Amino acid sequence: MIRRIKGTYDILPEESEKWQKIEDVMHKVARIFNFKEIRTPIFEASELFHRSVGETSDIVKKETYDFQDRGNRSNTLRPEGTAPIVRAVIENKLYADPSQPQKLYYFGPMFRYERPQKGRQRQFHQFGAEVIGSNSPLVDVEIINFAITYLNALDIKDVIVKVNSLGDKQSKETYLNVLRDYLKPNVDKLCEDCQRRYIENPMRVLDCKIDQKNPVVLSAPKPLDYLSDSAKYHFDHVISGLKALELDFEIDKNLVRGLDYYTHTVFEVLSKSDQLGSQSTIVGGGRYNDLISELGGPDTPAVGFAFGAERLLLALEDSPLFKTEIEIHAYFINLDNMFENDALKIINDLRLGGLMIDYDFLNRSLKAQFKQADRLKAKYYLIYGQKEAEEQIINVKDSDTGKQVSVPINDLYDYLVQQFQSNNCEGCSSR
Ligand code: HAM
């Protein structure tokens, strides 16, 4: 038997309904914040990620899926969505669109060759949003508020929002020199990975999981203490905006994020749910004011976030959001195959009116048809045979109460809709 590739999984029908739900809520929240969806290819020229996510980042060093195509070009399955969006913005000149800033969102699979565990896959999905073309701190607030509003819409409350600033290019350079000088005499006290990071990407020492309690890391200088005046002004405005919205957050001076392109604000939201274990970050993001110019576009500031959809679903385990009382409105019970063309027509008319109807395709016995209807959690059985055909009626039986009434076929649709409305049936009106 051929098996799925390690770190990937199948989303089976029961699970996919949950995906549709979180995607529905995503589209709704995006609409109220006036973000527009963008879809880009799942593979790009490898160079895009090397130049954006960063040669020294773990993602590019160890985790990308790279392949040569038949024309000997090096391609990479996208490990994240920001770089492809930036590429698309530059290539399609969205920065010159009269409507600015561009507020974009996306949803789709991403690929990282990581060690699979709960909440960490090799193919996973991100819902991301990017605002391109404004340096206003209000946009940082907008993006963080968008993420929190989405979590609230899903009723995920048990979270910690962490915010920090890395400063602009100049502040980052000043800080990195200070940090390198500080770490130099202590390198041998760092974990193996951090000894490498010290040379390549010293800021990442601050959020190392292994060295979390290492006194060298605890007393290391922090980027927030080396902000230039303008970077400090920017961050202060972000903080006052978050406070004005009465959002709960904390400043985490050690938050640096794992991708190289960040400047100014960075943030993460962590879930406190036990389901997530060590992979508790459900959304991460920040500002990346230099990335667009570094990739060949005009100097254009930007900020964004990305949620991990699998982690959201773990945080939503047992959520009432996914509980539906019924799966379909009615199941058609065919008493006599002679009348199957009548059945097709009746069922089709109900479906075109928006009702969810299913029927038997396996020539089941009467008893087995009722059983299948119950399996599908049908609210009504629609019972039809020779007698009903002659009288142009259909017997409608309520699967909960057992009550049965005869309804003229012409009135069937109105009758069912009225029943669902008067019973205030959960989920019926939205279908
Ligand atoms: P990131 O922190 O690398 O940021 O990923 C964002 C989120 O994707 C993580 O918080 C996590 O929920 C999820 N995630 C990452 N890797 C995996 C994995 N292997 N399995 C399951 N979930 C995963 C970015 O990707 C940036 N592009 C975010 C951003 C957008 N910054 C600015 N704009």
Side-chain angles (χ1 to χ4, degrees):
M1 184 175 56
I2 300 169
R3 293 183 175 277
R4 63 193 154 78
I5 288 169
K6 188 175 169 189
T8 70
Y9 56 92
D10 303 306
I11 302 173
L12 301 177
E14 203 183 317
E15 245 344 77
S16 69
E17 285 192 7
K18 298 182 181 174
W19 284 78
Q20 288 173 4
K21 201 90 175 201
I22 62 168
E23 289 173 46
D24 276 355
V25 177
M26 167 188 83
H27 293 301
K28 283 188 184 130
V29 178
R31 213 165 294 136
I32 62 170
F33 277 80
N34 192 33
F35 279 66
K36 305 275 188 252
E37 191 181 6
I38 180 165
R39 302 183 190 198
T40 61
I42 59 163
F43 65 108
E44 299 272 354
S46 302
E47 189 193 355
L48 175 66
F49 300 108
H50 287 254
R51 282 177 51 189
S52 55
V53 175
E55 298 281 6
T56 60
S57 65
D58 283 352
I59 295 177
V60 165
K61 268 186 102 72
K62 303 191 272 195
E63 296 169 6
T64 49
Y65 279 91
D66 304 310
F67 63 97
Q68 295 288 119
D69 68 13
R70 288 170 196 268
N72 268 340
R73 282 169 290 257
S74 175
N75 297 329
T76 296
L77 294 184
R78 61 181 184 195
E80 60 105 50
T82 308
I85 304 305
V86 167
R87 197 253 328 122
V89 164
I90 299 172
E91 195 165 345
N92 298 290
K93 297 196 170 53
L94 295 186
Y95 53 77
D97 190 285
S99 165
Q100 293 297 328
Q102 289 280 301
K103 297 168 74 179
L104 306 167
Y105 77 102
Y106 52 93
F107 185 87
M110 308 288 159
F111 306 85
R112 294 185 193 175
Y113 191 79
E114 293 194 82
R115 200 164 38 79
Q117 55 176 269
K118 201 172 185 187
R120 190 160 79 191
Q121 294 81 20
R122 291 186 173 170
Q123 174 174 328
F124 61 100
H125 297 74
Q126 281 187 345
F127 153 39
E130 318 286 346
V131 181
I132 295 181
S134 168
N135 195 29
S136 166
L138 287 184
V139 180
D140 307 39
V141 176
E142 167 102 336
I143 213 81
I144 296 172
N145 190 25
F146 183 178
I148 294 175
T149 305
Y150 179 58
L151 287 170
N152 286 340
L154 293 173
D155 214 20
I156 299 180
K157 297 243 165 67
D158 220 7
V159 295
I160 307 170
V161 181
K162 292 185 170 183
V163 188
N164 192 20
S165 173
L166 307 181
D168 48 29
K169 215 176 188 166
Q170 180 210 328
S171 334
K172 265 173 86 176
E173 267 165 30
T174 315
Y175 169 69
L176 282 177
N177 287 333
V178 174
L179 182 63
R180 273 205 188 90
D181 287 348
Y182 166 82
L183 290 175
K184 201 171 179 180
N186 298 305
V187 178
D188 55 346
K189 298 189 191 109
L190 299 174
C191 76
E192 210 175 296
D193 267 349
C194 284
Q195 297 196 8
R196 177 178 55 78
R197 287 181 188 133
Y198 161 72
I199 299 166
E200 295 176 344
N201 197 351
M203 221 191 286
R204 294 248 39 210
V205 170
L206 291 193
D207 71 349
C208 170
K209 291 233 162 77
I210 302 169
D211 271 338
Q212 224 169 27
K213 296 202 169 104
N214 183 336
V216 176
V217 175
L218 287 175
S219 27
K222 313 291 183 215
L224 203 58
D225 300 322
Y226 291 85
L227 298 187
S228 64
D229 287 347
S230 62
K232 189 167 175 339
Y233 176 88
H234 186 97
F235 191 57
D236 288 346
H237 276 71
V238 174
I239 297 302
S240 74
L242 296 176
K243 285 186 179 157
L245 287 173
E246 295 175 8
L247 300 177
D248 273 337
F249 67 94
E250 57 187 61
I251 296 176
D252 179 352
K253 288 185 168 194
N254 283 332
L255 181 68
V256 294
R257 311 261 312 121
L259 304 96
D260 285 358
Y261 48 61
Y262 291 110
T263 53
H264 290 281
T265 317
V266 286
F267 77 99
E268 279 184 358
V269 181
L270 284 73
S271 163
K272 289 195 245 168
S273 157
D274 296 338
Q275 294 297 337
L276 277 102
S278 61
Q279 303 306 312
S280 58
T281 309
I282 35 184
V283 49
R287 194 166 260 290
Y288 47 96
N289 282 354
D290 303 322
L291 184 59
I292 297 166
S293 58
E294 279 166 14
L295 290 177
D299 200 5
T300 311
V303 56
F305 67 65
F307 277 90
E310 285 77 5
R311 296 192 192 171
L312 269 176
L313 287 167
L314 284 174
L316 280 167
E317 210 139 271
D318 304 326
S319 162
L321 190 75
F322 301 135
K323 302 243 174 341
T324 43
E325 277 171 19
I326 62 159
E327 296 287 327
I328 57 170
H329 290 120
Y331 191 86
F332 197 97
I333 308 270
N334 206 350
L335 300 178
D336 189 335
N337 286 348
M338 281 273 292
F339 300 99
E340 65 190 12
N341 283 344
D342 288 3
L344 287 178
K345 178 84 178 79
I346 296 168
I347 290 165
N348 204 43
D349 286 347
L350 296 177
R351 285 173 170 171
L352 291 180
L355 293 176
M356 294 178 300
I357 315 291
D358 207 352
Y359 63 115
D360 177 40
F361 290 105
L362 295 178
N363 250 326
R364 287 181 174 91
S365 69
L366 193 59
K367 198 172 153 209
Q369 287 189 54
F370 276 105
K371 211 164 168 186
Q372 174 67 0
D374 292 342
R375 224 177 264 130
L376 296 177
K377 297 198 197 132
K379 172 67 178 157
Y380 290 104
Y381 313 111
L382 306 178
I383 306 162
Y384 188 78
Q386 183 170 8
K387 189 164 157 289
E388 287 77 10
E390 282 164 10
E391 293 174 22
Q392 284 297 289
I393 56 145
I394 193 150
N395 285 313
V396 180
K397 186 169 178 181
D398 186 319
S399 66
D400 293 321
T401 63
K403 196 180 129 200
Q404 183 170 313
V405 287
S406 295
V407 179
I409 289 173
N410 284 340
D411 297 341
L412 180 61
Y413 177 75
D414 290 341
Y415 174 81
L416 288 174
V417 169
Q418 201 215 329
Q419 291 304 304
F420 284 117
Q421 278 167 354
S422 59
N423 287 338
N424 211 1
C425 162
E426 188 206 325
C428 301
S429 55
S430 64
R431 291 180 205 259

